[in-house]
Amino acid sequence: MKTFSSYDPEDFYDELIDAEGQPRPGARLLVDMIESLPEGDLALRQKAAEALLLKMGITFNVYGREEGTEKIWPFDIIPRIVSAEDWQQIESGLKQRIFALNEFIQDIYNAKKIIKDGIIPEDLIMTSRTYRKACEGFTPPRGIWCHVTGTDLVRDRDGRFYVLEDNLRCPSGVSYVLENRQVLKRTFPQVFEASQVRPVDAYPSKLLEMLEYLVPEHIPSPTIGVLTPGIYNSAYFEHSFLSQQMGVELVEGQDLVVHDGCVHMLTTKGLKRVDVLYRRIDDDFIDPEVFRPDSLLGVKGLIGAYQSGNLALANAPGTGIADDKVIYAYVPQIIKYYTGEDAILPNVPTYICRNDDDRAYVLDHLDQLVVKAANESGGYGMLVGPHATAEDRADFAEKIKAEPRNYMAQPTISLSRVPTIVGDRIEGRHVDLRPYVLFGKEIYVQPGGLTRVALPKGSLVVNSSQGGGSKDTWVL
Amino acid sequence: MLSRVANSIYWMCRYIERAENVARFISVNLNLLLDMPLEKGNHWEPLVMITGDQAIFEKHYPDYEKKQVMHFLTFDRKYPNAILTCVAAARENARSIREIISSDMWEHLNNFYLELADKCSPDMALADPQRFFKIIQMRSHLFTGLMDCSMSHGEAWNFARIGMMLERADKTSRILDVKYFMLLPRADLINTPFDNIQWSAVLKSASALEMFRKRYHHATPRNVADFLIFDDNFPRSIRHCVSKAKACLHRINGSMPGLPQNPAEKQLGRLEADLAYTDIDEVIGQGMHEYLDGLQTRLNQVDMVIGTTFFNIEPTTESCAQEQ
């Protein structure tokens, strides 16, 4: 049986198959290989890949279930393929965007020129829940704020890429990119080789170089650590994986103390000074003296050490201001303001509920729009209008009226699809793409990124907490 | 290295060693029962006695009966020293130090746990217990072997070895303590085949029968005790374990044996010296149980001092931070 003969891309942009049902140029080898497999073989390979992930312990805990229930994050072995030209545009677009956002954060906490020049209203910044007063007047080492970014891109029916969201705080998922690749190399070795896929494995060493770049030159062999909330965090696997790959310490808040203005680790031989932390704890929890006093995960005095220049942090506290989902709407103007260029990667058109005209439109068209709260992530605080009940929509309308500053809305994007294994057949499922960007001496975009796939039929929500899975991403 | 990491690796190995010992005890007991007359008393109670946890058992289980004892010692997640609980704890420790141990060690331990926690395991254990408990022992050995050949023998490895050696010394002392009294020869049984089987079982519980035979030909209580406490070369004798633990401890700080630099080195050095300058006849004179009891207390003290010296653990009245 030909696996793809009954496959229907329907009225969506399909990443592997064109509207005539033919494989796209870069996907030809893969599709031919899948077609040539004996019946049932694809499902076997899928099972083998899942078994491998379980064995490697790449699992997350399912909260609220009986002890010992662990699941792998669903992984589909059919990769998503991105052509070299598409990638070229993504890469240059992300470099431009991240550069501009970094300039923006530096400006917002210091000179505030963009406010004075009337590009962004001051009250929008000041009312953002992710604005950190503690960062005012501060310039981090080398002037870099957003060292690690994971930008969510989507592709609409027309095949164009749009930026859906910027994640400049502690974006996670890059370890899945690396592990998915390991698994897929074992699953489709020949096709992988013949397709000349660009390698993703350089990421940990690029990350390490970036962290080292933050250390003043007079410290010859700096101590670098990854700061994790601990083994109960759902991204713990990633924290551990990255520190192992970089060969640096993995520390928890309980391992650190601030002494004489510097941060130290408690070691078997006494205190040892730490120079750089790649922190994977949110701003709110990182230092109970400065942010949330009830945090048990953080380290007292850490921000003090950071602000006196005795510690570098990646990402810098305060970067959340640039991924406020309302500020997002201004990013094309931000890019223009700081670089003089037009944005290479467009935003999804966005209605800002604090503007009266936009709000009126949003309230009238809730059944067609996706509404998002400014500071939620993981698919929470969000209304997918066309799929919501009338009751949900009425609820959301009240929320928007009560707190217009906190909401924005976008037309529902017909996310592109990728063939995905469903039982013993292949069906199209919607995907997005999160490439990872490092900002050190230069800006580096990992060739690939995390393709998240919404596994339930017709679903547009790709978040892992909402039934999403992942795929390997092949950049040719 | 980080104190928390050192603590985790130390406990990871203690738990693996503990799980292996429990599996071996059960295995030996099953074997022994095949050779025993049916009516000869209860053979499952001593197994729980070795663990020192009779009170916990009796609270939750009605009888010292094969199935119940096997379930308690193997699968009872509420019992901290059950094999499954130990392997789970070893794995949680390993998870928190995944970046320190080798991927081979992690994958093996992860798989060890997942298979043991599988819902089919209890049926397998009942259907073919010999095979089941043998597999657990071999998995523990494989883990130890992987640690030996896939991980640098640096500080972390030395902490791991100390954990393993202290746990092993403690378990050997417990086997001997329980069995020695039960098996003190009654006049009518001396040198009968029955007696011999029992002493062989004690030695097997410490994987010691064959090595013992090479040194002593006859299994008298004195010889067995001498071998298990004082033999220099047997890997489960208490003296051997303590002296290996001490060597690892000195490697961590780079200090010379005989010139201790911290409380842990002092405490362990004293224990080693006592073991070197005591012999079996003195022990029997003083009372085997009292001696072994004292030994266990001192092993606990060593554990505690290692905690305060390296792991940044405040001294408490409890013997250690993780146990129970």
Side-chain angles (χ1 to χ4, degrees), chain A residues 253-265:
Chain A
Q254 54 165 318
D255 298 324
L256 301 176
V257 289
V258 175
H259 184 68
D260 285 345
C262 297
V263 176
H264 298 265
M265 310 187 285

Side-chain angles (χ1 to χ4, degrees), chain A residues 15-217:
Chain A
E15 302 279 349
L16 298 190
I17 307 289
D18 67 19
E20 277 75 53
Q22 293 304 308
R24 293 188 188 279
R28 163 75 59 192
L29 282 169
L30 177 76
V31 171
D32 286 352
M33 192 277 298
I34 291 176
E35 293 281 67
S36 72
L37 292 176
E39 196 173 335
D41 198 79
L42 193 62
L44 281 181
R45 289 180 194 224
Q46 171 71 30
K47 282 219 166 64
E50 284 167 7
L52 192 61
L53 288 167
L54 188 66
K55 182 170 159 252
M56 295 197 290
I58 307 174
T59 50
F60 61 91
N61 290 315
V62 184
Y63 294 103
R65 297 234 194 131
E66 196 185 327
E67 188 186 356
T69 31
E70 286 167 32
K71 291 179 74 173
I72 58 169
W73 188 27
F75 171 66
D76 184 86
I77 57 173
I78 301 180
R80 185 253 194 92
I81 297 179
V82 183
S83 71
E85 317 139 67
D86 282 341
W87 186 256
Q88 163 55 33
Q89 188 218 358
I90 292 175
E91 187 173 6
S92 53
L94 288 173
K95 284 184 175 170
Q96 178 199 48
R97 191 174 180 99
I98 301 306
F99 174 81
L101 286 174
N102 194 68
E103 294 289 300
F104 167 71
I105 301 167
Q106 172 69 19
D107 185 27
I108 280 301
Y109 288 118
N110 290 278
K112 299 193 191 318
K113 287 196 297 235
I114 197 166
I115 297 175
K116 290 174 190 150
D117 287 340
I119 310 290
I120 291 189
E122 181 165 25
D123 71 296
L124 194 64
I125 301 289
M126 293 308 157
T127 54
S128 172
R129 281 182 214 159
T130 46
Y131 182 79
R132 296 282 173 262
K133 220 169 165 41
C135 300
E136 285 176 0
F138 183 70
T139 300
R142 311 260 187 198
I144 304 170
W145 294 78
C146 47
H147 309 84
V148 183
T149 311
T151 305
D152 291 343
L153 305 177
V154 293
R155 204 168 202 186
D156 201 357
R157 195 171 270 133
D158 60 5
R160 269 194 95 176
F161 279 101
Y162 295 86
V163 176
L164 183 67
E165 242 175 74
D166 298 289
N167 297 289
L168 293 92
R169 284 174 280 183
C170 303
S172 63
V174 72
S175 59
Y176 292 103
V177 175
L178 301 170
E179 294 286 4
N180 287 353
R181 178 58 56 85
Q182 291 305 318
V183 171
L184 222 62
K185 275 186 191 166
R186 297 196 219 180
T187 311
F188 297 133
Q190 288 86 5
V191 185
F192 184 83
E193 204 183 343
S195 300
Q196 301 200 320
V197 180
R198 292 178 61 183
V200 291
D201 323 26
Y203 185 86
S205 51
K206 294 280 183 189
L207 179 61
L208 182 60
E209 274 170 31
M210 182 275 285
L211 295 169
E212 282 169 343
Y213 180 64
L214 304 179
V215 184
E217 270 145 25

Side-chain angles (χ1 to χ4, degrees), chain A residues 56 70 236 255 266-268, chain B residues 1 3-4 91 155 312:
Chain A
M56 295 197 290
E70 286 167 32
Y236 177 76
D255 298 324
L266 301 167
T267 79
T268 54
Chain B
M1 70 187 306
S3 299
R4 175 180 53 82
R91 174 172 174 263
E155 193 178 355
N312 204 39

